[in-house]
Amino acid sequence: MDDFLIYSGYLILLINLVLYSISFFRKEKVNGFFVLYLAFAFLMQMSMELLYHLHFNNLFLVNVFIIGQMVLLGLFYNSLIKIRSQKIFVKSILLAGILIFCVQFLLEPKEFLKFNLFAITLTSLCCVIFGLLHFYNMLTEKKVYYYITIAVIFFMLGSTVLYLIGNLTLTLSLEVKYFSWKLNAFLFLVYQLVILYEWKVSFSKKSLEN
C-alpha cells in the first residue's frame, strides 16, 4: 500500500509534466514557471528515491527541493500577479527567504543534512502566502490556475504539519513514523491529481484543438 501511494504520486507527476509541457509548446498557454516547477519536482523526487534505494542520506535533497519549490512557485505566482506593489511584495519575500537560508546554512551547515524544521515551515508558509495572494486577486479577476492554487495552499499546509511530525517521530515508534509518511504520500497523490484536473479543465481542449 505504501509503495502504491508513493509510485502513484510519481506517475501522476510525470503525466502532469508531460501534459503541461505539451500544452506549453503547442499553444504556449501554460505558464513556463509552472512547467519548470513540475520538471524540478520530478527530478528531485527521482533523485531522492534513487539515493534512498542506494542507502544514502537524501535529507539534503529535501532541503534543496523545498527551497527550489518556494522559488519556482514564487516566480510562478509573481508572473500571474498584475499589481506592481504585490509583485514587489512577492519578490521581497523570495529574496529575504533566500538570504535567511544562506545565513542559516553558513552558520549551521549541519541543518542542511537533516529535517530543517525552520526551512520547511518558512518555505511552505511563503508558498501559502503566494497562493492566497493570487486567490484574493481571483475574487475580482478571471480565475486562472484556480484549482492549482487551492491545491498548493492545502498541500503546503498539510505537508508542513506532516514534515514537522516526521522530524519528531524519528525518535518515536516506527508505526507512528510510517503513518505520517503514508499521509504525506497520500496528500502528494491528491495534490498531483488536482493539478491533473486543472489541466483537463483549462488546457486539454486547447491542446487537442491544435
Side-chain angles (χ1 to χ4, degrees), residues 24-44:
F24 173 77
F25 287 111
R26 285 187 174 182
K27 285 291 186 179
E28 297 186 357
K29 296 294 184 181
V30 174
N31 187 284
F33 287 118
F34 192 72
V35 176
L36 285 176
Y37 165 65
L38 291 176
F40 174 75
F42 182 74
L43 176 62
M44 287 292 100

Side-chain angles (χ1 to χ4, degrees), residues 21-89:
S21 297
I22 291 173
S23 296
F24 173 77
F25 287 111
R26 285 187 174 182
K27 285 291 186 179
E28 297 186 357
K29 296 294 184 181
V30 174
N31 187 284
F33 287 118
F34 192 72
V35 176
L36 285 176
Y37 165 65
L38 291 176
F40 174 75
F42 182 74
L43 176 62
M44 287 292 100
Q45 293 291 351
M46 292 301 99
S47 298
M48 287 188 282
E49 188 71 15
L50 177 62
L51 288 183
Y52 171 77
H53 286 290
L54 293 175
H55 304 290
F56 288 111
N57 185 345
N58 63 1
L59 296 182
F60 75 96
L61 282 181
V62 173
N63 291 307
V64 173
F65 174 62
I66 60 175
I67 294 172
Q69 178 175 250
M70 177 193 71
V71 172
L72 289 173
L73 285 178
L75 293 174
F76 165 61
Y77 282 114
N78 180 70
S79 67
L80 299 179
I81 293 172
K82 300 176 182 178
I83 302 174
R84 185 171 179 273
S85 60
Q86 292 182 353
K87 283 181 171 291
I88 294 175
F89 175 70

Side-chain angles (χ1 to χ4, degrees), residues 8-199:
S8 293
Y10 294 161
L11 177 61
I12 302 301
L13 171 58
L14 177 59
I15 292 173
N16 285 334
L17 175 57
V18 171
L19 292 177
Y20 277 84
S21 297
I22 291 173
S23 296
F24 173 77
F25 287 111
R26 285 187 174 182
K27 285 291 186 179
E28 297 186 357
K29 296 294 184 181
V30 174
N31 187 284
F33 287 118
F34 192 72
V35 176
L36 285 176
Y37 165 65
L38 291 176
F40 174 75
F42 182 74
L43 176 62
M44 287 292 100
Q45 293 291 351
M46 292 301 99
S47 298
M48 287 188 282
E49 188 71 15
L50 177 62
L51 288 183
Y52 171 77
H53 286 290
L54 293 175
H55 304 290
F56 288 111
N57 185 345
N58 63 1
L59 296 182
F60 75 96
L61 282 181
V62 173
N63 291 307
V64 173
F65 174 62
I66 60 175
I67 294 172
Q69 178 175 250
M70 177 193 71
V71 172
L72 289 173
L73 285 178
L75 293 174
F76 165 61
Y77 282 114
N78 180 70
S79 67
L80 299 179
I81 293 172
K82 300 176 182 178
I83 302 174
R84 185 171 179 273
S85 60
Q86 292 182 353
K87 283 181 171 291
I88 294 175
F89 175 70
V90 171
K91 291 177 181 177
S92 297
I93 289 179
L94 282 177
L95 289 175
I98 293 172
L99 287 174
I100 290 172
F101 295 135
C102 287
V103 172
Q104 184 192 35
F105 293 141
L106 284 173
L107 295 178
E108 300 179 87
K110 291 183 179 180
E111 289 297 318
F112 196 69
L113 301 176
K114 64 181 183 179
F115 277 108
N116 189 324
L117 300 182
F118 175 75
I120 291 170
T121 303
L122 184 59
T123 55
S124 297
L125 288 179
C126 286
C127 292
V128 170
I129 291 172
F130 300 149
L132 288 173
L133 189 59
H134 179 60
F135 194 82
Y136 172 78
N137 290 335
M138 285 191 292
L139 295 177
T140 55
E141 299 174 0
K142 181 180 179 181
K143 288 181 172 57
V144 181
Y145 298 100
Y146 176 77
Y147 297 105
I148 284 177
T149 299
I150 292 176
V152 165
I153 293 170
F154 282 98
F155 174 71
M156 292 300 167
L157 289 175
S159 185
T160 298
V161 172
L162 292 174
Y163 269 130
L164 294 174
I165 293 175
N167 189 76
L168 295 175
T169 53
L170 291 176
T171 58
L172 298 179
S173 68
L174 289 177
E175 290 184 1
V176 177
K177 173 183 174 182
Y178 288 131
F179 181 69
S180 67
W181 283 109
K182 285 180 186 178
L183 287 178
N184 193 62
F186 175 73
L187 283 180
F188 181 76
L189 175 59
V190 173
Y191 178 51
Q192 293 303 321
L193 286 172
V194 175
I195 292 176
L196 179 60
Y197 181 73
E198 178 76 63
W199 180 85

